Amino acid sequence: MGSALALDPAVLTLVAGMALVTYATKAGGLWLVGRVDLSERAEAGLDVLPGAVVVAFVAPALAKGGVPEWIAAATTVAVARKTGNLLLSLAVGVGTVLAVRQVV
């Protein structure tokens, strides 16, 4: 039996393959969009898409979450509005939910 930290070549190959497919999908999409004339409405839809994806991940957690998740969400929104820094906002949100869970 191997070490728990040993890297299985099959797993590495699978992860590398998934990374390659992910990159190819994104690069292909950007290449395709660069060659198609989009309407203003389509461009507006693509501009808000990242926010919609974040909401799709966060909404179920908030729906099932309790006080720590709601406090963290409010803190994250406040930091995002104040600083405009997404990475800082996410870090503060994660830190807040972890801290509130320890207290509540």
Side-chain angles (χ1 to χ4, degrees):
M1 186 164 225
S3 167
L5 298 177
L7 296 176
D8 183 1
V11 172
L12 288 176
T13 303
L14 184 64
V15 170
M18 288 188 293
L20 184 64
V21 168
T22 300
Y23 176 77
T25 301
K26 185 165 187 145
L30 290 172
W31 176 83
L32 183 63
V33 167
R35 285 161 177 48
V36 174
D37 289 330
L38 295 175
S39 67
E40 287 183 26
R41 186 173 182 176
E43 282 186 30
L46 289 174
D47 286 343
V48 299
L49 190 58
V53 171
V54 170
V55 169
F57 281 112
V58 171
L62 282 176
K64 290 192 278 185
V67 172
E69 288 77 14
W70 283 95
I71 291 173
T75 305
T76 302
V77 169
V79 171
R81 285 191 166 188
K82 179 80 171 168
T83 67
N85 186 326
L86 180 61
L87 186 57
L88 177 63
S89 304
L90 292 175
V92 168
V94 169
T96 301
V97 79
L98 292 175
V100 174
R101 284 179 180 171
Q102 293 298 317
V103 175
V104 175

